[in-house]
Each structure stands twice: as C-alpha cells, then as structure tokens.
Amino acid sequence: MRTSPEPAGLHHLLADAARATPDAPAVHLGDATWSYAELDRMAERYAAALAAVGVTAGDPVLIWAEKSADVIALTQAALRLGAVYSPLAPANPPARVARIAATLRPAHVVTDQAGARAAAAAGWPTAAPPLITFDALRERAAARPAPPWHPAGPDDPAYVLYTSGSTGDPKGVCLSHRNALAFLRWAVAETGLRAGDRLANHAPFNFDLSVFDLYGAFRAGASVDLIPDDLAHAPSALVDFLFERRITVWYSVPSALLLMMRLGGLLDAGVPPALRVCVFAGEPFPTGGALRLRAAWPGVRLFNWYGPTETNVCAGYELTGADDGRSEPLPIGKPAAGDLIRLDGTTADGTGEIVVDGPTVMLGYWGQDRLPPGGYRTGDLGRYDADGNLVYLGRKDAMVKVRGHRVEPSEIEAVLSTHPGIADVAVAVTGTGVEARLHAVVVPAGPQPPGLLALKAHCAASLPTYMVVDSVSAAESLPRTANGKTDRSRLLATLTPAQQKEKP
C-alpha cells in the first residue's frame, strides 16, 4: 500500500508506480507482461497521438475495444491531457456504440481491428464520429513528443461509464478524480492491497468493478491480470485462470463465482494457492452459495460490496464466522469511503430508499446538469439489521440486475419495438439473483408473433449480449396502470410457471 502523499489526479497513480518500481509488472495478458515503465511510456506515446488528432482538455475519448494494455495506456493518455475517457466493451454492437457516441460527442471513436471490421459490416453511420484504430492513432503521432500534462482539479471529470437508461437510451455516469480516489483509498486499505498482489480483472472496462482492478493495482504497485472477453463466461477456464495465474485478489459479480462453482469445479479444486481476498459486488450473492465458498476457503477474506455505478462502492461487508449459520440475505454492510447513507421514506419496518452522499457520488450524467445537493437516490430499498448493517431489499423501480449488469427494461423494449412484427412489447424479469432472466411479452403486429431466434438477433444488433432476451410469449395487449404505464407486476402475474422458470 502506498505511503506517499495523495496523488493530484487519478492518472498520477501509474506514473508514481513507474517512478517507484519501474521494472515491476503492471499488466499481464496471456503470455505478455508490461512493466510499469513500459506502460508509462505507452501512455506518453498515446498522449502524443491524441494531441495529434486534436484532443484537448475536457474532450471526451470513446474507446470501443477488447481488453488490452493499449486500451489501458490510452485511458491514461486521455487523463494526462485533461480529457475524459469512456470505455466500451466489444459486447456493445456498432448500433449501440453509435448511439452512445451521439450523446458523448467525441471527435473520434478509438477501436481495434475487430471493432473496425464489425462497424464496417454493420454500416457505420455517416453522421457518427469517425472510427480510428489504435494503429492509425499511433501513426498520426509519429515522432511527436508527448505534450505537457494538464493540471487536473479533484472535481474535474475523469471517465464516463455508460449504463442502461430509463428513457430507452444509454446514459453516461460521469465520475471525477475525487470520486475514484476516495473509493480507491478506502478499497486498498480495506483489502490490504500491496505490491506483491496479482489482481484478476474479470469485469469489462465499462463496468465499474474494473476501477478497483486497474487503479487499485496501480495505487499499491501491484499487477493486474486481464481476463480476455472470450473467457469471462467460461467457468472451467476461469477456475484454471485463478489457480494457474496465482491470483491473490479476485473481484467479480457473484454470477461468475456461482458459475465457476456449479460448472467449473471451483469448490472441488481446493483452495487457490495464492488467493487471499475475494470480493463480489454488482448483485446479491445467495447466502447459501457465499457460505459454501467461505467453508471451502476458510483462510480467504470474503467481502460483499454494494453501490450503483453512480457511487461506485458506497457500502461494504466482510463475512466472518458470525455468518456461518446465516439463512437471511447477506448484509451490504456499513458506509464506505467517507460516504453517508440514509434511508428515505421509511416504512414501519424500517425499509426505505437508499440515498448516498459523499466523495464517491458522481458529478452527474454526461451532457446534463451536475447532481444537485442532497445525495444520489439509488432507487434501491434497504433496511438496517440488529447489528447496524444495511441489508439490500431490491429495486424500488423497474430497473433490475441480470447476470451482474444493471438493466433498464425500457431500453430493451425500445429496441424490440422497432421490429416490424411487434406492435407493443414489455420486458419482464423472471427469477431472482443468478437465476434472473429477461422475458419479452409481445403484442404481434400481424397474425403471428416473431420467433425467439428472430428477436434475439434483433436485440443483438443494438444491445450488448447481457441485454438480449432469453424467452418470449405473445399477448393480445399489455396490462396498464391507471396512468397508462405498463403494469409490470400484473405482467409477471400473466406468465405461466413454466415461462417464469424458462432457461435460455
């Protein structure tokens, strides 16, 4: 853990580590390793490249590419110029990338060769910002020296993470240097992160879990091992990765761990030889599964972290022996990183909406006004238990967690409604936790509703894979509330037991 003064900006973490331990490993990907000095030099070259194409302080830089050291270096380059980066995983199809680019308004969309091919095949909109590949970006820099660093203020925006939006369009959560550094300072201390650690980066870079993987490693002078996108949902490969790469700190959604437990033989393989910390967040971890993991790994510290993208992590809980007989849901714990949490509109049993205020709370949504005083209303319901720990009780509105990702059904509905065979549509979530599935109820525009495969293909053209519907049924009309909105509770009640348990 670093003992030097707090950095002036998020991008100083890499540079500080490069000065302190230039030859230490920073990033691993497959058989390749980049030292801190090498990654720092890459960041400087990309800073020159971005400056060569006109990027200056305050400009957004959209990065749509598979995980790589180049992507990481490019994010650091953007920050050094005072620019704001926004990463998108390749799971986002070209149509969604173009929609996001229309709101972010970057001068270019930086992509890799795979992204360029996908965009060409889909027909990249002429009105969208032009694509530029990493290779072309480096060529534009030529021998140009890196420009001076732009001095970052703590409340300057650093990065934008796009999430599912309630209007049917993605919305960009804008985080500042202060937001990220407050979280990292707490998270590094909480986990005891140190220079010898090797973190596994399971989450895509557009998912807020990756902030800890990358910047936690930089802050401690540790290394991060990138899990390629094609391995992220391969349970046996993930188990092998955990053991063979001698990971010391694992952070993922519970779904990934449960998949590894159920189909990857995780609990049959013994305790991973180097693992000392396992953190999960993004969705509730079923108590039974968490306790099975704790029993199998008695010497590994297990943490349950909570927070929407708008706050990163704002509460945390460490499992102990006191949880071994637990049958109720795991708590999400107590406020983290200097944040304050209050419950608004509490009922007689103490249940209320979780409202977060403090240093990790976002600046606001990109292109909109900054968040007003009073804290961020999460839309999540919570209640304090007898020990003073906060317990998550579900969503107040229609937004849900599916496969570890926050999903707004209206965004999926907006895409499905463009299918010529659909007159009206509503998307409901069946099941809970890791069993949650997306079910579409469609009102056909003709005599026959479109089939599931056709709707999957239609979704896949505009949505990331985790937002593709799993099942479909037809209805003559959708149930409505008195004010004309889709009545989702009644919608769920119309589904048969078989539909509610249907697996993709």
Side-chain angles (χ1 to χ4, degrees):
M1 178 177 165
R2 63 178 287 132
T3 56
S4 55
E6 190 69 19
L10 192 58
H11 49 302
H12 286 266
L13 296 174
L14 169 60
D16 288 351
R19 282 193 293 269
T21 54
D23 298 325
V27 176
H28 308 280
L29 178 60
D31 295 330
T33 297
W34 291 263
S35 70
Y36 271 101
E38 290 170 329
L39 192 62
D40 184 58
R41 286 194 294 270
M42 286 176 65
E44 286 292 278
R45 289 197 296 273
Y46 276 120
L50 289 176
V53 297
V55 174
T56 60
D59 289 343
V61 177
L62 185 59
I63 310 169
W64 175 44
E66 295 183 1
K67 293 178 183 179
S68 68
D70 286 284
V71 171
I72 297 172
L74 187 61
T75 64
Q76 303 309 292
L79 293 177
R80 293 176 184 194
L81 295 180
V84 184
Y85 72 85
S86 183
L88 286 178
N92 290 273
R96 191 172 196 257
V97 178
R99 286 164 60 204
I100 288 172
T103 66
L104 190 68
R105 298 184 179 179
H108 299 83
V109 177
V110 184
T111 190
D112 49 22
Q113 296 297 333
R117 289 192 296 270
W124 187 251
T126 55
L131 295 169
I132 185 169
T133 64
F134 285 92
D135 291 339
L137 191 60
R138 287 191 296 267
E139 289 174 3
R140 294 288 295 272
R144 178 173 177 157
W149 287 26
H150 179 82
D155 294 314
D156 287 349
Y159 56 91
V160 177
L161 301 180
Y162 273 86
T163 68
S164 186
S166 59
T167 62
D169 288 316
K171 56 184 178 181
V173 178
C174 189
L175 288 307
S176 70
H177 291 269
R178 187 194 305 274
N179 295 154
L181 289 170
F183 159 67
L184 290 165
R185 183 169 54 248
W186 171 84
V188 168
E190 187 79 356
T191 58
L193 207 58
R194 49 185 182 255
D197 277 321
R198 187 163 177 153
L199 291 80
N201 165 239
H202 178 267
F205 291 162
N206 55 254
F207 198 1
D208 57 355
L209 273 66
S210 66
V211 173
F212 173 70
D213 302 333
L214 299 175
Y215 289 106
F218 296 166
R219 195 177 198 280
S223 66
V224 58
D225 208 322
L226 308 182
I227 298 176
D229 297 303
D230 58 357
L231 293 186
H233 304 290
S236 295
L238 290 176
V239 173
D240 291 342
F241 186 96
L242 178 60
F243 278 77
E244 294 171 3
R245 311 292 287 195
R246 297 189 65 81
I247 298 301
T248 65
V249 180
W250 176 275
Y251 187 25
S252 75
V253 294
S255 294
L257 288 165
L258 288 166
L259 190 68
M260 294 161 69
M261 292 163 63
R262 188 171 72 250
L263 300 177
L266 179 63
L267 300 187
D268 301 325
V271 182
L275 190 68
R276 63 178 193 83
V277 171
C278 176
V279 187
F280 36 86
E283 63 187 344
F285 200 149
T287 302
L291 295 185
R292 286 194 299 274
L293 193 63
R294 174 173 156 74
W297 295 349
V300 177
R301 297 178 70 190
L302 301 181
F303 293 92
N304 185 28
W305 287 356
Y306 161 83
T309 304
E310 287 85 349
T311 71
N312 203 311
V313 171
C314 60
Y317 180 80
E318 182 174 3
L319 279 69
T320 67
D323 295 295
D324 289 346
R326 178 183 294 275
S327 58
E328 63 273 14
L330 295 176
I332 56 176
K334 293 180 169 63
D339 287 334
L340 299 174
I341 295 177
R342 61 184 173 87
L343 298 181
D344 188 60
T346 53
T347 58
D349 67 352
T351 298
E353 181 182 4
I354 299 173
V355 181
V356 186
D357 202 359
T360 76
V361 177
M362 68 171 182
L363 296 175
Y365 296 110
W366 184 262
Q368 301 180 26
D369 293 337
R370 291 207 170 191
L371 192 70
Y376 173 71
R377 306 183 71 89
T378 66
D380 291 337
L381 296 174
R383 184 173 58 237
Y384 286 100
D385 66 14
D387 297 318
N389 289 303
L390 191 61
V391 179
Y392 171 79
L393 300 174
R395 291 293 300 167
K396 182 180 178 181
D397 55 21
M399 196 174 287
V400 293
K401 286 288 182 74
V402 177
R403 292 181 277 274
H405 296 272
R406 193 175 77 171
V407 172
E408 175 61 49
S410 63
E411 185 178 358
I412 307 172
E413 292 164 358
V415 171
L416 287 174
S417 67
T418 65
H419 191 286
I422 293 177
D424 203 355
V425 60
V427 173
V429 176
T430 64
T432 58
V434 296
E435 297 299 323
R437 298 291 182 265
L438 294 168
H439 183 91
V441 179
V442 302
V443 177
Q448 295 293 329
L452 176 60
L453 291 181
L455 293 187
K456 281 180 173 287
H458 189 75
C459 286
S462 300
L463 298 169
T465 52
Y466 62 83
M467 294 175 71
V468 174
V469 293
D470 299 308
S471 54
V472 62
S473 60
E476 292 184 0
S477 62
L478 299 178
R480 304 286 182 183
T481 63
N483 60 9
K485 295 183 179 180
T486 301
D487 190 330
R488 297 183 185 278
S489 59
R490 286 175 56 204
L491 184 72
L492 277 171
T494 66
L495 303 181
T496 67
Q499 287 169 339
Q500 295 196 29
K501 295 179 181 178
E502 195 166 3
K503 299 292 180 66

